[in-house]
Amino acid sequence: MASKFFSLCRQGVANNVVRNIAAGSVFSKTAASSGARFLNNRVYSSAVAKKAETHNTTDIVGTAGYEGDSPVEVVSPGDPNKRAFTYFVLGSARFVWASMGRLAVLKLLHSLQASADVLALASVEVDISGINPGQVMTVKWRGKPVFIKHRTQEEIDDALSVNMSELKDPQADADRYLHNKPEWLVVLGVCTHLGCVPLANAGDYNGWFCPCHGSHYDTAARIRKGPAPLNLEMPSYKFLDEEHIVIG
């Protein structure tokens, strides 16, 4: 029994030895192959380095290929032969961007400008030669009615005689006309309550009366009675001559 045990042990040791020898053989072959490749690469790289030194250039780089790879020429970013083309491309791109920006700004400014029809409505010229004393002309300006009244001397005197303490929106009659022409009163025909159009030469004060909610204005277009809080608004205007005014 003991002899058989020792026989099996010797056989197992022998098998291990055979395996180690075989593995060592394979390892040796692999190591030899890798070593040969390493030496070939070192030799090839040394040859390329010597060639670069011979031609005095730094743009030749060797590639350690295993299947006959050849050196690749790399153009450095600072190649003087390419700078002119690079500057041309960059300059052209900047010029295009600048032109596009200028065009965008011009279009924006053009869109902000008032159109011809809007400019035409910004001011209106009116011939007042046909308005007799006591009469009122209504013209349209910026989409709103404008009252132009040729006041009589009696209407002017009535406006001057009003006690300022009686007014909801105190204004002297001298503040209700421009250019030292008290006979001409120019006001917006929009009630200051809710925007209705008052009726001329009507109401308790013979000025304007708003039929919507019963606001009464005097001959100077000042609010005297009713819910309206303010006097009728005065637009800007000027006299071109004795017969023409420009509103706006």
Side-chain angles (χ1 to χ4, degrees):
M1 190 70 177
S3 61
K4 185 175 181 179
F5 174 78
F6 286 114
S7 175
L8 291 174
C9 289
R10 285 195 298 270
Q11 185 176 357
V13 171
N15 290 336
N16 289 334
V17 171
V18 171
R19 290 192 191 99
N20 291 334
I21 293 173
S25 176
V26 173
F27 175 78
S28 300
K29 290 181 179 180
T30 303
S33 177
S34 298
R37 289 185 178 182
F38 177 76
L39 291 175
N40 289 336
N41 292 340
R42 291 294 301 273
V43 171
Y44 184 78
S45 298
S46 299
V48 171
K50 289 182 179 180
K51 184 176 180 181
E53 292 177 358
T54 302
H55 292 279
N56 192 23
T57 178
T58 58
D59 292 336
I60 304 297
V61 179
T63 59
Y66 300 111
E67 298 179 2
D69 293 340
S70 59
V72 178
E73 182 178 357
V74 180
V75 179
S76 63
D79 186 0
N81 297 329
K82 303 295 183 179
R83 289 179 183 173
F85 178 74
T86 302
Y87 292 156
F88 173 76
V89 172
L90 292 176
S92 300
R94 291 176 180 176
F95 176 77
V96 171
W97 280 107
S99 300
M100 293 176 63
R102 177 178 176 274
L103 181 61
V105 171
L106 290 177
K107 286 188 174 181
L108 176 62
L109 294 177
H110 181 72
S111 65
L112 296 176
Q113 293 179 351
S115 58
D117 54 345
V118 173
L119 292 176
L121 293 174
S123 61
V124 58
E125 182 177 339
V126 183
D127 183 359
I128 59 175
S129 60
I131 306 176
N132 296 322
Q135 291 183 340
V136 179
M137 174 185 284
T138 303
V139 297
K140 188 176 182 180
W141 174 68
R142 294 183 179 178
K144 298 179 181 180
V146 176
F147 297 144
I148 304 175
K149 183 168 185 176
H150 191 176
R151 298 195 297 178
T152 63
Q153 186 61 45
E154 181 181 358
E155 291 173 333
I156 296 173
D157 294 339
D158 289 341
L160 291 173
S161 64
V162 174
N163 189 346
M164 298 292 292
S165 62
E166 299 177 0
L167 301 176
K168 296 174 66 175
D169 182 17
Q171 262 188 318
D173 183 71
D175 298 328
R176 302 295 293 167
Y177 57 85
L178 301 177
H179 312 293
N180 295 321
K181 293 182 179 295
E183 67 275 18
W184 292 105
L185 185 69
V186 181
V187 294
L188 290 181
V190 178
C191 180
T192 57
H193 179 221
L194 291 177
C196 296
V197 178
L199 302 177
N201 295 330
D204 295 346
Y205 300 91
N206 198 31
W208 284 268
F209 171 71
C210 181
C212 295
H213 301 94
S215 294
H216 297 258
Y217 300 87
D218 62 13
T219 56
R222 297 173 297 193
I223 182 63
R224 300 295 300 274
K225 185 170 67 174
L230 302 173
N231 304 329
L232 293 182
E233 184 181 353
M234 295 174 55
S236 61
Y237 65 93
K238 63 181 180 180
F239 285 85
L240 296 180
D241 50 44
E242 294 297 326
E243 297 182 349
H244 297 86
I245 66 172
V246 173
I247 303 174

